[in-house]
Amino acid sequence: MDPEELPVYEIEYLNYQAIPEHGWDIEDDDLFEKAAGADLDEKDHGSFEIRGTRYILDGAEDADQKWPFECRAASCAYCTMIVYEGEVTMDMDLILTDEEVEERDIYLSCQSIPESDEVKVVYNAMYEDYLQENVVGVREA
């Protein structure tokens, strides 16, 4: 198939670390609107496109973003992101529970592929309190 015929997905991202720095909350309904109005640098907020079945982490790297990761094998939580809006699927997951994925919308960016035309994600989510206390550095794959 011609690469130009593959679907294109728009990924809007927000760095988790920017949320407490600005006094925002991950639960804010207008979180991405706040980010858009805050004149954040490209590291903290922006967007990029992914064509076809590229992983979101790979798309970020294609866009010269330096998102955290460790293993790229779905067995650590360093690349976790929270899907704020839109749909993604994970090819593999050896670290997150079904509850974390289905109820908390936590995904591994190294294994996640966009399913909806537009996806909003909060990357660097390993710094989220829940993940720090329950996932990062605690579980073994």
Side-chain angles (χ1 to χ4, degrees):
M1 177 182 268
D2 181 356
E4 293 298 316
E5 295 177 16
L6 295 172
V8 176
Y9 304 97
E10 180 79 17
I11 309 298
E12 184 177 356
Y13 62 88
L14 176 61
N15 184 348
Y16 182 85
Q17 291 181 310
I19 296 171
E21 288 174 9
H22 289 86
W24 304 330
D25 189 282
I26 190 70
E27 301 293 328
D28 290 346
D29 289 335
D30 58 348
L31 183 60
F32 277 77
E33 289 81 7
K34 289 177 179 179
D39 195 34
L40 300 173
D41 65 33
E42 193 175 337
K43 175 184 135 262
D44 290 330
H45 178 253
S47 64
F48 56 86
E49 292 182 345
I50 293 178
R51 185 174 297 275
T53 57
R54 302 271 298 152
Y55 293 124
I56 292 176
L57 178 60
D58 293 334
E61 291 175 337
D62 292 346
D64 294 325
Q65 296 300 307
K66 307 259 187 269
W67 288 14
F69 71 91
E70 187 68 31
C71 71
R72 288 191 186 264
S75 59
C76 79
Y78 289 96
C79 72
T80 52
M81 64 181 184
I82 298 168
V83 176
Y84 189 81
E85 188 175 299
E87 299 292 324
V88 303
T89 58
M90 266 191 305
D91 276 351
M92 188 169 47
D93 169 28
L94 303 173
I95 191 84
L96 301 173
T97 66
D98 289 344
E99 177 209 356
E100 288 161 345
V101 175
E102 295 165 10
E103 296 176 22
R104 295 180 177 268
D105 295 314
I106 299 169
Y107 290 82
L108 304 173
S109 65
C110 74
Q111 295 293 316
S112 295
I113 298 169
E115 290 291 321
S116 54
D117 292 341
E118 296 179 3
V119 178
K120 294 180 180 181
V121 301
V122 176
Y123 82 96
N124 232 354
M126 68 177 164
Y127 292 108
E128 203 267 336
D129 287 344
Y130 172 83
L131 287 165
Q132 281 291 300
E133 295 168 7
N134 296 296
V135 181
V136 178
V138 176
R139 293 187 190 154
E140 291 187 23

